[in-house]
Amino acid sequence: MESHHIQDGDLLIIDRSRKPSDGCIAVVVFEGGFLCRQILFSKKWNCYVFLNGGRWERVTEIFGVATYNIHTLGGRQL
C-alpha cells in the first residue's frame, strides 16, 4: 500500500460505521483474514480489490473504512 503512503508498521484508524465509497481504502475480509486495500465497485455494486499478482478479486464483506494513517518519524516503529 506504499502507493497510498501506507507503510509497514503504520497505525490505521478504521471507521466501521462509515459507508465505503468507490476508490476508498478499506479493510476487507478475504479468505478468512483481513486485507487493507483500495476497493472498487462495479456497475452492479459488486466490490472488488486488487491483489498481489495483478488480479482483481470480489469480496463480500467490508470490515471498515480507513480514515487516518499514523506513522512514526525517525524510523522507530510503534
Side-chain angles (χ1 to χ4, degrees), residues 1-74:
M1 297 292 310
E2 288 186 7
S3 62
H4 297 285
H5 306 286
I6 300 172
Q7 302 168 5
D8 189 31
D10 284 359
L11 175 66
L12 290 178
I13 306 300
I14 306 299
D15 187 346
R16 295 194 67 198
S17 67
R18 190 169 182 179
K19 185 177 179 179
S21 60
D22 191 47
C24 75
I25 305 298
V27 174
V28 298
V29 177
F30 183 74
E31 294 182 353
F34 293 106
L35 287 176
C36 178
R37 293 287 191 267
Q38 183 178 22
I39 60 173
L40 299 173
F41 289 99
S42 70
K43 292 180 182 179
K44 295 181 181 180
W45 288 100
N46 292 325
C47 179
Y48 292 89
V49 294
F50 188 70
L51 299 176
N52 297 339
R55 72 180 203 275
W56 290 94
E57 192 71 41
R58 184 176 178 200
V59 294
T60 57
E61 185 178 350
I62 300 171
F63 181 78
V65 175
T67 55
Y68 294 96
N69 174 29
I70 302 169
H71 51 219
T72 60
L73 301 174

